[in-house]
Amino acid sequence: MEKKLNRIAPLAFLGLFFVIYCVALFVIFEAASASLWIGFIFTVLAFAVTGCIIWFKAPVLLNAYDQVYKAPAVFAGGAYAVIAMVLGMIAAAVPAEGIKWIVLIELIVFAAAAVVIVLALSSSKAAEQLHRKDAAAASELTVMRNVLLSLADSAEDPDFASELRALAEVFRLSLPDVKGKVAGYDSDLRGKVASLQAALAAHDEKAARGMIPVIRNLLNARNRACKVG
């Protein structure tokens, strides 16, 4: 429902502005000149482009991340629509002999708007892919951290539980492997955490305690490698 409102509300405002623009244009400039219609056609194009951007992008603007990386395309479309309205009004007042200049200016503005919008959409896509990689990498660390916290909650020895929670905190503060530089470390860490879990399942607390410094040293080495380059 929230996504639907995120789409319908800006489209409704866009439609309202378009109606107001049409009324003002054809009331102020009663003589429907060729230049008026050229400006009007480019304005309709601008509103159509903006409407498409809103339809596909506005529903995702629900959190701070999306507003930072995905909103620029929506704002670029809106700015283009406003500029097109202004140019449409100017075009309506231009005499017939100035039509070629109106067409030239409208084409330049359209090309510039297209470049800005495409760049905004491209950067949004790249940021989204990076965000997904970051989220996937972070979730893997979170899984291992949650395993350690679960083991800490079930540990009978308070000191051992504290060691497990301290190790889990190191996982929480670790950098996600966005670029795949430390995939080998992460694979080893999964194996070590699984071994610790298996040792506790076999009631071999001594072996489990011995795994804690091994995992911590491996995790620290992994984090140092993640920061390099």
Side-chain angles (χ1 to χ4, degrees):
M1 183 64 180
E2 189 175 3
K3 286 188 176 183
K4 189 175 181 181
L5 289 175
N6 246 38
R7 174 184 288 157
I8 293 175
L11 282 176
F13 280 113
L14 186 69
L16 177 62
F17 278 113
F18 183 70
V19 171
I20 294 173
Y21 165 77
C22 290
V23 171
L25 181 68
F26 291 103
V27 167
I28 296 173
F29 304 96
E30 296 180 1
S33 63
S35 57
L36 180 148
W37 286 108
I38 289 172
F40 181 72
I41 290 171
F42 275 98
T43 304
V44 171
L45 178 61
F47 272 84
V49 170
T50 305
C52 289
I53 295 173
I54 290 173
W55 181 262
F56 291 106
K57 289 297 180 180
V60 300
L61 302 180
L62 301 177
N63 54 55
Y65 170 83
D66 290 329
Q67 289 169 10
V68 169
Y69 290 103
K70 298 181 180 181
V74 178
F75 293 147
Y80 175 41
V82 172
I83 293 171
M85 283 193 295
V86 173
L87 286 178
M89 288 290 187
I90 295 174
V94 172
E97 55 270 20
I99 289 179
K100 61 181 181 180
W101 295 108
I102 290 297
V103 173
L104 179 61
I105 293 171
E106 291 280 12
L107 286 174
I108 291 173
V109 171
F110 173 75
V115 170
V116 172
I117 291 171
V118 168
L119 288 176
L121 291 173
S122 298
S123 63
S124 170
K125 186 67 175 179
E128 184 177 1
Q129 291 174 345
L130 183 62
H131 179 67
R132 286 178 179 175
K133 288 182 180 179
D134 184 66
S139 65
E140 188 171 10
L141 293 172
T142 301
V143 168
M144 289 187 276
R145 174 175 175 263
N146 289 339
V147 168
L148 293 172
L149 290 175
S150 177
L151 294 175
D153 290 340
S154 60
E156 296 180 359
D157 185 344
D159 292 335
F160 182 44
S162 296
E163 291 180 37
L164 289 172
R165 290 192 178 92
L167 182 59
E169 183 66 9
V170 181
F171 273 93
R172 186 183 73 82
L173 298 175
S174 297
L175 295 172
D177 184 23
V178 178
K179 298 182 180 179
K181 296 189 298 182
V182 293
Y185 282 103
D186 287 349
S187 178
D188 289 343
L189 283 168
R190 286 194 299 271
K192 298 300 182 185
V193 171
S195 297
L196 188 154
Q197 191 174 17
L200 285 177
H203 304 288
D204 190 351
E205 187 174 307
K206 182 178 180 180
R209 282 181 179 272
M211 292 298 300
I212 290 179
V214 174
I215 294 173
R216 181 182 290 107
N217 291 337
L218 183 60
L219 185 57
N220 288 335
R222 177 245 186 229
N223 290 338
R224 285 194 297 271
C226 198
K227 292 177 182 178
V228 175

